[in-house]
């Protein structure tokens, strides 16, 4: 983990400015390998007006590193902000899971959180209409546990092969290099199962008021395994203790022009003012039998589990109380992956989750390299005892002289058969095939319920936001949008159609 700050004070009014003691002396400047530098400004030349010598090693060192300062930005979740904090258990859930960090009421675990826009770019505004990433890294005594969620309880798609496509249509047109409403709505009207997420995105919840005033969700259903191997299916809910606040489309657009880093600045400034944001964690818990017999497929990430059927159960809360000292080292290099699961927590067979188990780690291998887990922000607080060795940018002793293989005769690390990775008697059988999720009436029930749940003013905002965006598409795409909305609610569709006619 990144160590706590020492004698550094940040200006809460202007987070880009670092206030440092004016009388401090950091000593002489060196190059990247610690050799003292005689002159920082003037290169080594032949006379005052002659060419620069290649033997000016410091100039070469400085420029060559500058040429390589940037790493590839994330394809998803490119822009975001983050902070350090802690998670504390407030209710006993030891009957549900053997995860050590959830084992005892009052137990605290250090953590890091990163919030982001999902499909936009590093230079985009924080207030754009888009889902928000909600990624948490818990530095537990059993290794790092990552909860890589969003601020919405559902997602656009339920098959991982569609993940690339749904992100592509939210990027840029390959010819104009501009965002394209035609691409966006062409795709999603051909994939109507996405409209549950789209109704959330085009409601005022699609433009949250910064990161502090939004809930977070696992979206996927996970498994919890207790000490006896008993399994429960669980959805994770992180409810903001600051209260939910959203921006109107008009206000969000204004902030995009005047304060494009609005959410990052708001989070940073609140922590500097010691107004530490916090979220309470709740579980929705189902037994295996309840999950199997529930009216909706609990492994379908386009669906929610009703809180009336399975109420929220409090677990704990996390508090963010320390800002990063270096954005690049701690926020940009933070690597979250749904596959980072500690004993007592396991993935379900949710197809989208299964795809993400691979994709996120693979992204980090591309962006940060095979040893990204050794970066301080990603490194666990527990010792790393592995036969995985070598590769670019090793940090530490690389296992020293110990054998890089298992088994061996020299007391090397060994597996622990007592680790509860999966439930007892877990087996799967079936005929291999490409099984399709067929679109059916049930896929429109929850979007319909969501629309009816909105207050009249919120319904009007949703209709206005949809119409404004859909109006930028071809007429045949507009007709398809209205056609999908008719399957959700006829009155809803008619009101959107009327709004489009006035556009």
């Amino acid at each position: 983990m990144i160590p706590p700050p020492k004698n550094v004070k940040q200006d809460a009014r202007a987070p880009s400015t670092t206030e440092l003691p004016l009388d401090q002396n950091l000593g002489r400047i060196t190059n990247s390998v610690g050799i003292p530098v005689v002159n920082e400004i003037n290169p080594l030349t032949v006379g005052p007006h002659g060419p620069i010598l290649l033997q000016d090693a410091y100039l070469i060192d400085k420029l060559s590193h500058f040429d390589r300062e940037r790493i590839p930005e994330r394809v998803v979740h490119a822009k975001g902000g983050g902070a350090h904090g802690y998670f504390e258990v407030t209710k006993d859930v030891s009957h549900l899971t053997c995860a050590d960090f959830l084992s005892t009421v009052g137990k605290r675990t250090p953590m890091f959180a990163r919030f982001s826009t999902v499909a936009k770019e590093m230079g985009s505004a924080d207030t754009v209409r888009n889902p928000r990433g909600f990624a948490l890294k818990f530095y537990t005594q059993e290794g790092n546990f990552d909860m890589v969620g969003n601020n919405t309880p559902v997602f656009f798609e339920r098959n991982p092969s569609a993940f690339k496509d749904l992100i592509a249509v939210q990027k840029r047109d390959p010819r104009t290099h501009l965002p394209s409403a035609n691409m966006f709505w062409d795709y999603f009207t051909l994939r109507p199962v996405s409209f549950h997420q789209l109704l959330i995105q085009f409601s005022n919840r699609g433009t949250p008021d910064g990161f502090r005033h939004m809930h977070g969700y696992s979206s996927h259903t996970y498994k919890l395994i207790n000490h006896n191997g008993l399994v429960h299916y669980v959805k994770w809910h992180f409810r903001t203790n600051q209260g939910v606040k959203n921006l109107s489309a008009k206000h969000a657009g204004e902030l995009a022009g005047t304060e494009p880093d609005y959410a990052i600045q708001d989070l940073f400034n609140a922590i500097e003012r010691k107004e530490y944001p916090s979220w309470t964690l709740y579980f929705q818990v189902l037994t295996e039998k309840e999950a199997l017999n529930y009216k909706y497929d609990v492994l379908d990430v386009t669906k929610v589990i009703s809180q009336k059927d399975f109420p929220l159960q409090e677990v704990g809360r996390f508090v963010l109380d320390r800002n990063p000292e270096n954005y690049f080292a701690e926020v940009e290099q933070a690597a979250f992956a749904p596959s980072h699961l500690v004993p007592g927590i396991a993935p379900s067979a949710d197809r989208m989750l299964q795809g993400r188990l691979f994709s996120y780690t693979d992204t980090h291998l591309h962006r940060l390299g095979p040893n990204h887990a050794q970066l301080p922000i990603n490194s666990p607080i527990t010792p790393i005892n592995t036969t995985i060795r070598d590769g670019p940018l090793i940090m530490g002793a690389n296992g020293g002289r110990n054998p890089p293989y298992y088994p061996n005769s020299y007391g090397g690390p060994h597996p622990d058969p007592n680790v509860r990775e999966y439930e007892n008697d877990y087996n799967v059988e079936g005929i291999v095939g490409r099984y399709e999720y067929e679109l059916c009436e049930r896929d429109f029930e929850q979007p319909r319920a969501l629309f009816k749940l909105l207050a009249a003013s919120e319904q009007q905002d949703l209709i206005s936001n949809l119409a404004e965006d859909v109006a930028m598409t071809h007429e045949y795409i507009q007709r398809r949008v209205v056609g999908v909305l008719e399957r959700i609610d006829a009155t809803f569709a008619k009101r959107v159609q009327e709004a489009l006619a006035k556009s």
Side-chain angles (χ1 to χ4, degrees):
M1 282 172 48
I2 299 292
K6 296 180 180 179
N7 301 323
V8 177
K9 180 181 179 182
Q10 300 286 348
D11 184 350
R13 297 160 300 170
S16 61
T17 301
T18 302
E19 290 185 354
L20 296 170
L22 296 178
D23 58 349
Q24 74 172 350
N25 183 351
L26 299 179
R28 62 186 182 184
I29 195 168
T30 73
N31 70 2
S32 59
V33 294
I35 300 171
V37 172
V38 65
N39 193 306
E40 172 66 26
I41 301 298
N42 300 308
L44 192 63
T45 62
V46 180
H49 305 295
I52 295 174
L53 298 182
L54 185 61
Q55 72 183 58
D56 189 342
Y58 180 61
L59 176 65
I60 301 302
D61 182 45
K62 191 173 182 181
L63 290 180
S64 59
H65 188 278
F66 170 70
D67 295 339
R68 296 163 175 82
E69 278 184 359
R70 294 293 169 261
I71 59 177
E73 74 172 43
R74 295 168 171 88
V75 177
V76 290
H77 303 282
K79 186 186 181 188
H84 299 268
Y86 63 87
F87 173 81
E88 182 175 3
V89 179
T90 56
K91 300 292 182 180
D92 182 16
V93 291
S94 59
H95 61 291
L96 295 174
T97 178
C98 59
D100 178 74
F101 81 105
L102 296 174
S103 62
T104 309
V105 173
K107 185 163 190 170
R108 285 191 177 187
T109 299
M111 60 168 294
F112 183 79
R114 184 179 185 270
F115 311 111
S116 57
T117 50
V118 170
K120 301 304 178 181
E121 302 147 342
M122 179 67 82
S124 64
D126 287 350
T127 57
V128 293
R129 185 171 301 285
N130 206 239
R132 301 299 191 269
F134 200 100
L136 311 175
K137 186 179 294 292
F138 300 84
Y139 302 97
T140 87
Q141 295 296 327
E142 297 178 302
N144 290 352
F145 166 58
D146 291 351
M147 173 51 65
V148 193
N150 282 334
N151 73 324
T152 57
V154 296
F155 197 58
F156 298 97
E157 288 277 4
R158 49 199 175 192
N159 279 313
S161 57
F163 190 74
K164 174 264 178 193
D165 303 301
L166 71 90
I167 294 298
V169 300
Q170 299 180 70
K171 298 292 189 179
R172 294 178 178 269
D173 182 280
R175 185 185 183 201
T176 66
H177 198 58
L178 297 171
S180 172
N182 278 317
M183 284 201 320
F184 185 93
W185 289 107
D186 178 46
Y187 175 81
F188 285 120
T189 52
L190 296 172
R191 299 291 299 167
V193 72
S194 64
F195 269 64
H196 193 182
Q197 172 79 328
L198 289 173
L199 294 199
I200 297 174
Q201 182 167 326
F202 280 85
S203 73
N204 290 333
R205 289 171 65 183
T207 49
D209 188 347
F211 300 135
R212 295 185 298 132
H213 296 285
M214 65 184 189
H215 296 326
Y217 304 88
S218 64
S219 302
H220 303 290
T221 301
Y222 283 77
K223 293 180 179 180
L224 294 183
I225 301 101
N226 69 13
H227 287 280
N228 298 319
L230 183 65
V231 66
H232 288 85
Y233 285 85
V234 175
K235 283 188 181 286
W236 302 56
H237 298 247
F238 299 88
R239 300 181 71 86
T240 176
N241 295 321
Q242 290 69 242
V244 172
K245 289 174 61 178
N246 299 311
L247 302 170
S248 68
K250 183 175 183 294
H251 192 194
E254 291 170 349
L255 287 172
T258 59
E259 298 181 62
D261 302 316
Y262 174 80
I264 295 175
Q265 180 172 335
D266 175 72
L267 176 65
F268 186 98
N269 289 354
I271 294 173
E272 289 299 291
R273 294 192 304 267
K274 301 187 184 304
E275 297 174 7
Y276 303 134
S278 65
W279 286 258
T280 300
L281 169 60
Y282 297 87
F283 285 158
Q284 273 185 295
V285 182
L286 294 80
T287 65
E288 286 188 286
K289 183 177 180 181
E290 289 170 333
L292 181 64
N293 296 318
Y294 191 56
K295 57 189 174 183
Y296 296 108
D297 183 355
V298 302
L299 305 181
D300 179 353
V301 74
T302 68
K303 306 291 186 294
V304 297
I305 297 174
S306 172
Q307 294 179 27
K308 293 180 180 178
D309 297 332
F310 296 95
L312 299 182
Q313 301 181 28
E314 183 180 335
V315 179
R317 68 167 189 150
F318 75 84
V319 179
L320 301 180
D321 59 2
R322 179 162 63 89
N323 279 316
E325 285 299 297
N326 185 281
Y327 180 92
F328 183 87
E330 297 166 66
V331 181
E332 184 62 15
Q333 291 194 129
F336 302 85
S339 56
H340 294 167
L341 300 170
V342 294
I345 304 172
S348 71
D350 176 328
R351 291 186 184 183
M352 184 63 79
L353 175 57
Q354 291 284 315
R356 294 176 73 220
L357 294 176
F358 162 77
S359 185
Y360 277 63
T361 300
D362 189 57
T363 292
H364 305 321
L365 295 173
H366 156 66
R367 290 186 66 244
L368 302 169
N371 291 307
H372 63 272
Q374 297 181 23
L375 292 166
I377 191 64
N378 300 321
S379 182
I381 59 175
T382 54
I384 298 175
N385 204 12
T386 180
T387 58
I388 297 173
R389 301 288 173 86
D390 305 342
L393 302 179
I394 279 289
M395 301 176 199
N398 194 32
R401 67 173 66 183
N402 296 319
Y405 57 91
Y406 172 86
N408 64 75
S409 305
Y410 307 101
H414 52 82
D416 182 355
N418 296 316
V419 171
R420 181 66 69 189
E421 186 177 16
Y422 298 106
E423 63 269 32
N424 285 339
D425 304 320
Y426 176 63
N427 67 81
V428 178
E429 61 182 43
I431 299 174
V432 173
R434 298 187 183 275
Y435 295 94
E436 182 179 358
Y437 268 118
E438 293 186 5
L439 190 72
C440 63
E441 171 59 25
R442 183 162 292 183
D443 291 311
F444 299 97
E445 292 175 355
Q446 292 193 1
R448 185 180 304 126
L450 172 61
F451 178 72
K452 292 180 178 180
L453 185 66
L454 297 176
S457 61
E458 294 173 319
Q459 287 185 357
Q460 186 55 53
D461 287 342
L462 170 59
I463 290 164
S464 299
N465 295 337
L466 279 170
E468 181 179 355
D469 204 65
V470 175
M472 295 185 287
T473 69
H474 299 306
E475 285 190 14
Y476 70 88
I477 295 178
Q478 294 181 27
R479 289 194 295 270
R480 288 213 309 252
V481 172
V482 173
V484 175
L485 295 179
E486 285 177 341
R487 298 188 69 175
I488 296 173
D489 185 275
T491 302
F492 179 23
K494 182 179 179 181
R495 291 173 67 183
V496 172
Q497 190 171 32
E498 290 171 349
L500 284 170
K502 296 176 183 177
S503 300

